[in-house]
Amino acid sequence: MAPYKVYILKYARRDVMYGELKLGDIHDTTMLDMGYFMWVITNGEHTAVVDTGFTEELCKKRKRQWICDPRVRFDAIKIDPAQVQHVILSHMHWDHAGNYELFPKATFYVQDDEMAFWTGRYVKYNHFRGAMEPEDVCKLVRLNYDGRVQFVNGQEEVLPGIRLHRLGGHTKGIQVTEVPTASGTVVVASDAVHSYNNLRDQRPTPIIHNAPEYLEGYDRIKRLAKQESYILAGHDNRQMKNHREVAEGVAVVE
């Protein structure tokens, strides 16, 4: 089997103070270049997408900076999202679980307890519901009725060599994706690691479900990945600089 490559697609951004992303220290004024990404895993035979992002309309509503339609980034790597059959949802926050219409042939992989949480009793509280777009949750429920949601309970191999690991912490059932590449194991961490600063400081973000699980998740990710640069953090633009740029807004780990 040919080794996998992981493409990092950046389509939106904002400037943010690290204190906004750092539980217990809101006064840290270090500025971070916060990106919004999708990740594409492919070896020519098998392809999977991690996270589905958001629309330009939602970008304006949430006051982020739109760069381009994600399809522009897919075109740059010659992947047609309309033909993708496997989409992994790391978790169901608004900036990671929308745009389902881009993937009309896909099965969506989500942890059992992640879906249960966002359709359950606690979403009435402001702490949780602000991170969601109810219509996106409803769309995923409809996709489940259509037989297009695959539930994962803990760990599962989605495609040969591509493994999902439930961590929890940031959300009830956030999962990361382990990918073997020719140069070592990549972990598409998404928001299990918001930024490399969070990982190094062992400080999770204030948007949190379970702090001990979040911190133990950091340890588990570090055990899986070849090195820190092979951990693809949910919103840290430095992942683009750590790896080879192949097109505007696209870098590759290979």
Side-chain angles (χ1 to χ4, degrees), residues 147-160:
R148 293 179 55 202
V149 176
Q150 177 69 43
F151 289 97
V152 181
N153 185 11
Q155 184 172 325
E156 185 168 312
E157 188 173 56
V158 173
L159 288 166

Side-chain angles (χ1 to χ4, degrees), residues 13-36 63-64 194-198 201 203-207 235-236 238:
R13 67 169 304 280
R14 73 179 177 118
D15 293 315
V16 63
M17 286 194 302
Y18 179 35
E20 295 180 49
L21 305 180
K22 188 178 181 183
L23 183 65
D25 185 5
I26 63 172
H27 304 295
D28 191 325
T29 58
T30 304
M31 296 303 298
L32 299 180
D33 180 2
M34 183 171 175
Y36 294 86
K63 296 181 172 56
R64 271 51 173 180
H194 247 68
S195 78
Y196 298 115
N197 295 53
N198 295 105
D201 293 345
R203 282 286 187 87
T205 66
I207 305 171
H235 293 288
D236 199 318
R238 284 170 286 190

Side-chain angles (χ1 to χ4, degrees), residues 84-239:
V84 169
Q85 297 185 28
H86 305 278
V87 173
I88 298 160
L89 299 177
S90 64
H91 62 303
M92 289 174 58
H93 280 167
W94 70 272
D95 52 335
H96 296 266
N99 271 329
Y100 300 118
E101 295 81 3
L102 292 181
F103 306 97
K105 294 185 178 180
T107 295
F108 296 86
Y109 296 81
V110 65
Q111 288 285 333
D112 259 315
D113 52 358
E114 180 73 3
M115 184 75 154
F117 183 86
W118 294 112
T119 54
R121 66 170 67 188
Y122 297 111
V123 294
K124 67 180 181 180
Y125 297 113
N126 288 335
H127 175 75
F128 294 114
R129 69 182 181 186
M132 296 303 301
E133 288 292 324
E135 184 53 35
D136 285 337
V137 178
C138 291
K139 286 179 180 178
L140 194 61
V141 170
R142 293 186 189 105
L143 286 167
N144 186 34
Y145 272 78
D146 291 339
R148 293 179 55 202
V149 176
Q150 177 69 43
F151 289 97
V152 181
N153 185 11
Q155 184 172 325
E156 185 168 312
E157 188 173 56
V158 173
L159 288 166
I162 299 176
R163 295 181 177 87
L164 305 180
H165 302 268
R166 181 205 174 275
L167 299 184
H170 180 54
T171 64
K172 175 69 172 177
I174 192 170
Q175 59 186 350
V176 300
T177 306
E178 175 189 0
V179 186
T181 71
S183 58
T185 300
V186 171
V187 175
V188 184
S190 190
D191 284 7
V193 176
H194 247 68
S195 78
Y196 298 115
N197 295 53
N198 295 105
L199 182 67
R200 293 166 192 169
D201 293 345
Q202 294 188 315
R203 282 286 187 87
T205 66
I207 305 171
I208 195 167
H209 181 268
N210 183 307
E213 277 194 331
Y214 214 143
L215 293 166
E216 288 183 338
Y218 287 164
D219 293 338
R220 191 167 172 192
I221 289 166
K222 286 188 285 187
R223 287 196 297 269
L224 288 171
K226 175 187 175 182
Q227 59 194 42
E228 183 182 90
S229 65
Y230 279 53
I231 298 169
L232 303 184
H235 293 288
D236 199 318
N237 193 56
R238 284 170 286 190
Q239 65 189 290

